[in-house]
Amino acid sequence: MKLIFQGHDYRYAVEQSLLAFFPQERPVYEGGGKNTARVTLSAGRRYHTAVTELSVEGRTARGLSRADVSGIQDEYGRERLLQRIVKLSFFKAARELTGVSPAWGALTGIRPAKLAGQLLEEGRSLREADRILRDTYFVTPSRRRLCLQCAQTGLEARQALAPDEISLYVGIPFCPTRCAYCSFVSNSVEKSFHLVEPYLEALLEEIDGAAAMVDALGLRVRSFYMGGGTPTTLTAGQMERLLERLHSRFRLDSAVESTVEAGRPDTITAEKLEALRRCGVTRVSVNPQSMSDAVLAAIGRRHSADDIRSAMELVGRAGFPHVNMDLIAGLPEDTAEGFRRTLDEVIAFGTDNITIHTLSLKKGSRITLEGSHIPPEGEVAAMLDYADPTLRGAGFDPYYLYRQKYMSGSFENVGWCRPGGTGWYNIYIMEELHSILSLGAGGSTKMVDPARGRIERVFNLKFPQEYIQRPEKRLANQQAFRCFYEQMRNPLEK
């Protein structure tokens, strides 16, 4: 679709709305196109007005939104308000043209609960916040309920944090095979086995330097998370060596949780689970994504549903306090009925934490590149519509949520837990409550100054070979982290 802007250049706001209504369209700014959206922003003395004129397949519609900007002094707040009315004008035009209103209405951001949390922090009641989500953003009742519940949990998490606390993430970018939906930087061990030991040595070196920096800054690790890739691709000995170094350098015994993604059942053994328990891991995440053999084959998994069942027996015998399982709604070859059977069986395993993802059609994934057959939006909606009441009926409540680009149906990912099973790291990173120090290839360190609303990021090199060969990049990231905290504590110093 050709996008024509007048009086502004709010591309992101319009592009996200475009994806929600017309997922097969891609924004075009040069050249012609039979489908167009002309989005105009005009300024008056008091009110700014956004108008979208939409033309698709010979049909036209018009949407208008306006806002009073006379009392806004903060430039950032003004920009946010103008982007909002631009987005709303497109939403109204698209809704009129298509007759469809997405589940999340005009909300297109990654963190809808963050908006709800801000409303509650401003002193709005739950009823008032719900009314704003309904009347301003046109969010459906079920999504408003999800949003407000997750916002409340996020506020509780914020209130429990101390200023000197951070979270720690360690990435293991290796997997047995690459899943069809995956676009993360992960290397198949069968192709890159020779890199695992050199990678671990580089990672241990980064751990030593980062821990010394954290200690010098007087910081403490509140939550620890090891992801990937699939961390349990490592041998039991390698995993134990890594976790022992982390514990000895970062003093993780005081953390409220220690999570390791066991991920793929074809990497889980009793020996590895015993090593994780000895090293103080309090939660493992087993991510079957589906309990259908046909779906597992379609996404490139080299294991069966029976392998998942066997792995969960081992996890149960190992005695972890908490267990998470991940599922994906909308995978190739899946159906609403198949997803229902999967969820029912996963609940029956007795885990206290279940995450329901919606398939995101990422550009680098094999599903996208090969044009795999995926369930239509209505089928995905039926999967999610079953998940919500079923999980609630089994004693689960939503505690965090986020959205991604190119999600099927423009839906959401939701973490559910039984009482006591909250995954705090997920809340900290998604609601940007405090800094996340990320180690390992592809690590994204997020530095957060909550008092000033300041967030900065630094990134480790993505590929294991680069990560191993370029220690100066790791050192530069640690220096950036140190400088951020020094400036946060002494804002007048350069």
Side-chain angles (χ1 to χ4, degrees):
M1 180 179 292
K2 184 172 184 179
L3 302 180
I4 305 164
F5 295 160
Q6 291 180 287
H8 70 99
D9 193 28
Y10 296 136
R11 294 190 177 198
Y12 182 79
V14 175
E15 287 175 3
Q16 295 308 296
S17 295
L18 171 67
L19 281 173
F21 281 95
F22 308 102
Q24 304 307 316
E25 295 276 354
R26 291 296 179 264
V28 175
Y29 294 94
E30 302 292 338
K34 64 178 181 179
N35 298 333
T36 61
R38 183 181 297 275
V39 188
T40 303
L41 180 63
S42 56
R45 286 187 176 181
R46 181 173 178 181
Y47 288 95
H48 280 46
T49 303
V51 176
T52 293
E53 297 167 305
L54 195 59
S55 176
V56 178
E57 303 294 339
R59 299 164 56 225
T60 61
R62 185 173 185 269
L64 181 149
S65 184
R66 62 199 307 239
D68 182 352
V69 298
S70 59
I72 299 178
Q73 304 298 322
D74 173 47
E75 187 61 30
Y76 177 68
R78 179 188 178 91
E79 286 289 302
R80 286 180 60 193
L81 183 59
L82 294 180
Q83 287 187 49
R84 189 181 83 185
I85 64 172
V86 164
K87 183 169 29 178
L88 281 169
S89 75
F90 187 98
F91 172 86
K92 291 175 181 178
R95 185 176 61 168
E96 179 185 328
L97 190 79
T98 63
V100 171
S101 187
W104 284 100
L107 285 183
T108 57
I110 295 172
R111 302 174 178 86
K114 199 168 186 179
L115 169 64
Q118 289 168 351
L119 294 172
L120 297 175
E121 282 192 302
E122 290 170 3
R124 313 266 189 171
S125 67
L126 282 171
R127 180 172 293 182
E128 288 173 320
D130 181 77
R131 187 165 57 247
I132 291 170
L133 292 174
R134 181 193 68 195
D135 296 343
T136 302
Y137 296 100
F138 308 97
V139 181
T140 63
S142 63
R143 265 56 183 196
R144 297 200 305 269
R145 184 185 186 192
L146 272 179
C147 193
L148 289 168
Q149 284 186 283
C150 291
Q152 287 178 286
T153 306
L155 292 177
E156 292 169 8
R158 182 195 298 276
Q159 292 162 3
L161 287 174
D164 64 347
E165 291 178 322
I166 64 170
S167 287
L168 177 65
Y169 175 87
V170 172
I172 305 298
F174 300 99
C175 281
T177 59
R178 188 178 181 87
C179 295
Y181 55 79
C182 182
S183 67
F184 289 116
V185 175
S186 59
N187 289 255
S188 168
V189 167
E190 60 191 5
K191 295 181 180 178
S192 58
F193 180 78
H194 65 286
L195 290 176
V196 176
E197 271 299 326
Y199 177 81
L200 281 177
E201 289 303 317
L203 180 57
L204 293 174
E205 183 179 287
E206 187 183 18
I207 287 168
D208 290 346
M213 174 197 66
V214 165
D215 191 53
L217 291 170
L219 301 174
R220 295 180 296 132
V221 174
R222 181 171 178 85
S223 71
F224 165 67
Y225 193 101
M226 185 182 294
T230 305
T232 43
T233 302
L234 301 179
T235 66
Q238 289 168 335
M239 181 69 72
E240 194 155 12
R241 176 156 53 105
L242 175 56
L243 286 168
E244 284 177 351
R245 182 69 68 91
L246 284 161
H247 270 273
S248 67
R249 298 297 190 265
F250 282 100
R251 299 191 293 278
L252 296 181
D253 290 341
S254 61
V256 296
E257 65 180 6
S258 177
T259 302
V260 172
E261 287 187 2
R264 299 269 294 260
D266 44 344
T267 68
I268 295 173
T269 67
E271 183 185 15
K272 292 179 185 180
L273 296 175
E274 289 167 7
L276 296 181
R277 289 294 288 131
R278 282 196 301 271
C279 293
V281 172
T282 58
R283 176 184 288 108
V284 290
S285 181
V286 181
N287 307 327
Q289 316 306 3
S290 173
M291 295 298 293
S292 161
D293 285 339
V295 175
L296 292 172
I299 63 175
R301 291 290 187 100
R302 292 184 182 175
H303 63 79
S304 66
D306 278 342
D307 293 328
I308 298 166
R309 297 178 186 109
S310 298
M312 288 304 296
E313 287 183 16
L314 293 176
V315 169
R317 288 201 292 269
F320 290 93
H322 306 288
V323 179
N324 162 261
M325 297 186 77
D326 282 10
L327 302 178
I328 299 179
L331 288 171
E333 305 304 326
D334 209 357
T335 63
E337 178 57 35
F339 181 84
R340 287 195 286 270
R341 289 195 297 269
T342 285
L343 180 58
D344 289 346
E345 183 168 1
V346 165
I347 291 173
F349 283 130
T351 62
D352 64 351
N353 193 300
I354 295 174
T355 307
I356 306 293
H357 295 274
T358 303
L359 178 65
S360 177
L361 297 174
K362 299 173 182 176
K363 293 180 181 178
S365 69
R366 202 170 75 242
I367 287 177
T368 302
L369 296 174
E370 296 178 358
S372 302
H373 173 71
I374 58 174
E377 180 180 327
E379 195 86 351
V380 179
M383 297 176 187
L384 299 177
D385 288 345
Y386 179 79
D388 188 303
T390 301
L391 285 161
R392 292 182 189 276
F396 290 81
D397 283 310
Y399 72 95
Y400 90 108
L401 71 91
Y402 68 102
R403 302 173 70 204
Q404 296 169 276
K405 279 187 177 182
Y406 312 117
M407 294 188 82
S408 182
S410 194
F411 292 121
E412 69 283 325
N413 304 317
V414 183
W416 298 81
C417 67
R418 288 179 165 134
T422 304
W424 297 106
Y425 174 87
N426 294 325
I427 299 176
Y428 300 150
I429 189 169
M430 200 47 58
E431 298 305 315
E432 299 178 319
L433 300 185
H434 70 182
S435 295
I436 310 290
L437 177 61
S438 296
L439 311 181
S444 172
T445 289
K446 183 181 295 185
M447 299 166 283
V448 179
D449 181 351
R452 297 170 183 81
R454 176 176 162 229
I455 298 175
E456 293 183 12
R457 295 171 175 82
V458 291
F459 304 92
N460 268 351
L461 294 166
K462 288 185 177 182
F463 299 100
Q465 188 75 57
E466 293 178 316
Y467 172 84
I468 293 165
Q469 295 175 344
R470 301 257 322 265
E472 70 277 7
K473 176 57 175 168
R474 306 194 294 269
L475 294 173
N477 288 350
Q478 291 174 23
Q479 182 60 26
F481 191 93
R482 182 191 297 271
C483 289
F484 182 91
Y485 269 86
E486 289 172 347
Q487 188 175 7
M488 184 171 75
R489 292 165 177 173
N490 304 286
L492 298 181
E493 293 183 8
K494 295 291 185 182

